[in-house]
PDB file of all heavy atoms in Angstrom:
ATOM      1  N   VAL R  12     -40.547  43.837   8.265  1.00 98.00           N
ATOM      2  CA  VAL R  12     -41.546  43.730   9.331  1.00 98.00           C
ATOM      3  C   VAL R  12     -41.123  44.653  10.468  1.00 98.00           C
ATOM      4  O   VAL R  12     -40.000  44.547  10.983  1.00 98.00           O
ATOM      5  CB  VAL R  12     -41.673  42.282   9.838  1.00 98.00           C
ATOM      6  CG1 VAL R  12     -42.823  42.173  10.840  1.00 98.00           C
ATOM      7  CG2 VAL R  12     -41.887  41.318   8.677  1.00 98.00           C
ATOM      8  N   ASN R  44     -47.398  25.244   6.020  1.00 97.00           N
ATOM      9  CA  ASN R  44     -48.842  25.177   6.224  1.00 97.00           C
ATOM     10  C   ASN R  44     -49.130  24.224   7.385  1.00 97.00           C
ATOM     11  O   ASN R  44     -48.201  23.678   8.005  1.00 97.00           O
ATOM     12  CB  ASN R  44     -49.567  24.752   4.936  1.00 97.00           C
ATOM     13  CG  ASN R  44     -49.122  23.382   4.423  1.00 97.00           C
ATOM     14  OD1 ASN R  44     -48.689  22.514   5.190  1.00 97.00           O
ATOM     15  ND2 ASN R  44     -49.234  23.176   3.122  1.00 97.00           N
ATOM     16  N   GLN R  86     -48.922  44.295  17.270  1.00 98.00           N
ATOM     17  CA  GLN R  86     -48.418  45.595  16.810  1.00 98.00           C
ATOM     18  C   GLN R  86     -47.325  45.331  15.776  1.00 98.00           C
ATOM     19  O   GLN R  86     -46.127  45.306  16.090  1.00 98.00           O
ATOM     20  CB  GLN R  86     -47.882  46.405  17.985  1.00 98.00           C
ATOM     21  CG  GLN R  86     -48.946  46.768  19.019  1.00 98.00           C
ATOM     22  CD  GLN R  86     -48.388  47.642  20.121  1.00 98.00           C
ATOM     23  OE1 GLN R  86     -47.677  48.616  19.883  1.00 98.00           O
ATOM     24  NE2 GLN R  86     -48.707  47.280  21.362  1.00 98.00           N
ATOM     25  N   GLU R 103     -16.734  35.080  -2.335  1.00 96.00           N
ATOM     26  CA  GLU R 103     -15.679  35.040  -1.320  1.00 96.00           C
ATOM     27  C   GLU R 103     -15.866  36.211  -0.366  1.00 96.00           C
ATOM     28  O   GLU R 103     -15.726  37.375  -0.758  1.00 96.00           O
ATOM     29  CB  GLU R 103     -14.296  35.098  -1.964  1.00 96.00           C
ATOM     30  CG  GLU R 103     -13.976  33.911  -2.864  1.00 96.00           C
ATOM     31  CD  GLU R 103     -13.752  32.627  -2.084  1.00 96.00           C
ATOM     32  OE1 GLU R 103     -13.490  32.717  -0.864  1.00 96.00           O
ATOM     33  OE2 GLU R 103     -13.848  31.541  -2.694  1.00 96.00           O
ATOM     34  N   ALA R 112     -14.868  39.722   8.910  1.00 95.00           N
ATOM     35  CA  ALA R 112     -14.903  38.249   8.895  1.00 95.00           C
ATOM     36  C   ALA R 112     -15.124  37.670  10.284  1.00 95.00           C
ATOM     37  O   ALA R 112     -15.639  36.559  10.423  1.00 95.00           O
ATOM     38  CB  ALA R 112     -13.605  37.711   8.301  1.00 95.00           C
ATOM     39  N   LEU R 122     -21.292  51.133   1.600  1.00 97.00           N
ATOM     40  CA  LEU R 122     -20.672  50.613   0.384  1.00 97.00           C
ATOM     41  C   LEU R 122     -21.373  51.244  -0.819  1.00 97.00           C
ATOM     42  O   LEU R 122     -22.605  51.248  -0.873  1.00 97.00           O
ATOM     43  CB  LEU R 122     -20.790  49.083   0.313  1.00 97.00           C
ATOM     44  CG  LEU R 122     -20.085  48.406  -0.860  1.00 97.00           C
ATOM     45  CD1 LEU R 122     -18.560  48.512  -0.713  1.00 97.00           C
ATOM     46  CD2 LEU R 122     -20.485  46.940  -0.966  1.00 97.00           C
ATOM     47  N   THR R 165     -24.061  29.857 -13.431  1.00 98.00           N
ATOM     48  CA  THR R 165     -22.764  29.447 -12.882  1.00 98.00           C
ATOM     49  C   THR R 165     -22.873  29.222 -11.376  1.00 98.00           C
ATOM     50  O   THR R 165     -22.323  28.259 -10.832  1.00 98.00           O
ATOM     51  CB  THR R 165     -21.687  30.495 -13.185  1.00 98.00           C
ATOM     52  OG1 THR R 165     -21.583  30.660 -14.608  1.00 98.00           O
ATOM     53  CG2 THR R 165     -20.329  30.076 -12.642  1.00 98.00           C
ATOM     54  N   ARG R 172     -23.621  21.273  -7.232  1.00 96.00           N
ATOM     55  CA  ARG R 172     -22.475  20.392  -7.011  1.00 96.00           C
ATOM     56  C   ARG R 172     -22.188  20.253  -5.517  1.00 96.00           C
ATOM     57  O   ARG R 172     -21.801  19.174  -5.045  1.00 96.00           O
ATOM     58  CB  ARG R 172     -21.248  20.933  -7.743  1.00 96.00           C
ATOM     59  CG  ARG R 172     -20.028  20.010  -7.652  1.00 96.00           C
ATOM     60  CD  ARG R 172     -18.832  20.587  -8.404  1.00 96.00           C
ATOM     61  NE  ARG R 172     -19.120  20.732  -9.828  1.00 96.00           N
ATOM     62  CZ  ARG R 172     -19.126  21.891 -10.480  1.00 96.00           C
ATOM     63  NH1 ARG R 172     -18.878  23.030  -9.835  1.00 96.00           N
ATOM     64  NH2 ARG R 172     -19.377  21.926 -11.773  1.00 96.00           N
ATOM     65  N   ILE R 178     -34.814  26.442  -2.454  1.00 98.00           N
ATOM     66  CA  ILE R 178     -36.127  25.821  -2.297  1.00 98.00           C
ATOM     67  C   ILE R 178     -37.124  26.260  -3.369  1.00 98.00           C
ATOM     68  O   ILE R 178     -37.798  25.419  -3.985  1.00 98.00           O
ATOM     69  CB  ILE R 178     -36.692  26.096  -0.891  1.00 98.00           C
ATOM     70  CG1 ILE R 178     -35.742  25.523   0.181  1.00 98.00           C
ATOM     71  CG2 ILE R 178     -38.080  25.483  -0.746  1.00 98.00           C
ATOM     72  CD1 ILE R 178     -35.469  24.041   0.047  1.00 98.00           C
ATOM     73  N   LEU R 184     -41.185  23.709  -3.105  1.00 98.00           N
ATOM     74  CA  LEU R 184     -42.293  24.175  -2.279  1.00 98.00           C
ATOM     75  C   LEU R 184     -43.369  23.099  -2.244  1.00 98.00           C
ATOM     76  O   LEU R 184     -43.537  22.329  -3.195  1.00 98.00           O
ATOM     77  CB  LEU R 184     -42.860  25.474  -2.844  1.00 98.00           C
ATOM     78  CG  LEU R 184     -41.890  26.658  -2.913  1.00 98.00           C
ATOM     79  CD1 LEU R 184     -42.550  27.847  -3.611  1.00 98.00           C
ATOM     80  CD2 LEU R 184     -41.398  27.053  -1.532  1.00 98.00           C
ATOM     81  N   GLN R 212     -45.791  23.261  13.443  1.00 96.00           N
ATOM     82  CA  GLN R 212     -44.856  22.739  14.453  1.00 96.00           C
ATOM     83  C   GLN R 212     -45.218  21.339  14.926  1.00 96.00           C
ATOM     84  O   GLN R 212     -44.341  20.509  15.194  1.00 96.00           O
ATOM     85  CB  GLN R 212     -44.801  23.700  15.648  1.00 96.00           C
ATOM     86  CG  GLN R 212     -43.764  23.342  16.703  1.00 96.00           C
ATOM     87  CD  GLN R 212     -44.329  22.498  17.834  1.00 96.00           C
ATOM     88  OE1 GLN R 212     -45.546  22.433  17.994  1.00 96.00           O
ATOM     89  NE2 GLN R 212     -43.462  21.863  18.596  1.00 96.00           N
ATOM     90  N   ARG R 217     -43.668  15.529  15.356  1.00 94.00           N
ATOM     91  CA  ARG R 217     -43.903  14.116  15.070  1.00 94.00           C
ATOM     92  C   ARG R 217     -42.748  13.519  14.260  1.00 94.00           C
ATOM     93  O   ARG R 217     -42.299  12.403  14.533  1.00 94.00           O
ATOM     94  CB  ARG R 217     -45.212  13.958  14.286  1.00 94.00           C
ATOM     95  CG  ARG R 217     -46.469  14.218  15.076  1.00 94.00           C
ATOM     96  CD  ARG R 217     -47.683  14.010  14.177  1.00 94.00           C
ATOM     97  NE  ARG R 217     -48.912  14.489  14.786  1.00 94.00           N
ATOM     98  CZ  ARG R 217     -50.065  14.567  14.157  1.00 94.00           C
ATOM     99  NH1 ARG R 217     -50.139  14.194  12.885  1.00 94.00           N
ATOM    100  NH2 ARG R 217     -51.137  15.005  14.762  1.00 94.00           N
ATOM    101  N   ARG R 225     -39.896   9.315   4.159  1.00 95.00           N
ATOM    102  CA  ARG R 225     -39.714   8.404   3.021  1.00 95.00           C
ATOM    103  C   ARG R 225     -38.815   8.995   1.939  1.00 95.00           C
ATOM    104  O   ARG R 225     -38.299   8.264   1.098  1.00 95.00           O
ATOM    105  CB  ARG R 225     -41.072   8.037   2.422  1.00 95.00           C
ATOM    106  CG  ARG R 225     -41.927   7.151   3.313  1.00 95.00           C
ATOM    107  CD  ARG R 225     -43.186   6.725   2.600  1.00 95.00           C
ATOM    108  NE  ARG R 225     -44.036   7.886   2.281  1.00 95.00           N
ATOM    109  CZ  ARG R 225     -45.120   7.836   1.517  1.00 95.00           C
ATOM    110  NH1 ARG R 225     -45.493   6.683   0.972  1.00 95.00           N
ATOM    111  NH2 ARG R 225     -45.845   8.910   1.292  1.00 95.00           N
ATOM    112  N   GLY R 233     -27.150  14.136 -15.073  1.00 96.00           N
ATOM    113  CA  GLY R 233     -27.867  14.052 -16.329  1.00 96.00           C
ATOM    114  C   GLY R 233     -28.158  15.436 -16.851  1.00 96.00           C
ATOM    115  O   GLY R 233     -27.803  16.442 -16.227  1.00 96.00           O
ATOM    116  N   GLY R 246     -40.412   2.106 -13.839  1.00 94.00           N
ATOM    117  CA  GLY R 246     -41.769   2.450 -14.226  1.00 94.00           C
ATOM    118  C   GLY R 246     -42.597   3.139 -13.164  1.00 94.00           C
ATOM    119  O   GLY R 246     -43.762   3.451 -13.397  1.00 94.00           O
ATOM    120  N   VAL R 249     -40.715   8.087  -8.326  1.00 98.00           N
ATOM    121  CA  VAL R 249     -39.994   7.976  -7.045  1.00 98.00           C
ATOM    122  C   VAL R 249     -39.547   9.330  -6.518  1.00 98.00           C
ATOM    123  O   VAL R 249     -38.833   9.416  -5.520  1.00 98.00           O
ATOM    124  CB  VAL R 249     -38.771   7.051  -7.193  1.00 98.00           C
ATOM    125  CG1 VAL R 249     -39.202   5.621  -7.454  1.00 98.00           C
ATOM    126  CG2 VAL R 249     -37.833   7.549  -8.307  1.00 98.00           C
ATOM    127  N   ASP R 267     -35.431   4.568  -0.459  1.00 95.00           N
ATOM    128  CA  ASP R 267     -35.200   3.140  -0.708  1.00 95.00           C
ATOM    129  C   ASP R 267     -34.661   2.864  -2.111  1.00 95.00           C
ATOM    130  O   ASP R 267     -34.528   1.698  -2.502  1.00 95.00           O
ATOM    131  CB  ASP R 267     -36.472   2.327  -0.459  1.00 95.00           C
ATOM    132  CG  ASP R 267     -37.666   2.828  -1.269  1.00 95.00           C
ATOM    133  OD1 ASP R 267     -37.493   3.750  -2.100  1.00 95.00           O
ATOM    134  OD2 ASP R 267     -38.775   2.294  -1.069  1.00 95.00           O
ATOM    135  N   ALA R 281     -30.918   9.499 -16.288  1.00 97.00           N
ATOM    136  CA  ALA R 281     -30.101  10.139 -15.254  1.00 97.00           C
ATOM    137  C   ALA R 281     -29.648   9.067 -14.272  1.00 97.00           C
ATOM    138  O   ALA R 281     -30.170   7.946 -14.269  1.00 97.00           O
ATOM    139  CB  ALA R 281     -30.887  11.233 -14.534  1.00 97.00           C
TER     140      ALA R 281
END
Side-chain angles (χ1 to χ4, degrees):
V12 186
N44 60 28
Q86 296 184 46
E103 297 289 341
L122 185 69
T165 301
R172 184 180 298 118
I178 300 303
L184 299 175
Q212 186 266 343
R217 289 181 191 172
R225 291 186 297 171
V249 293
D267 55 5

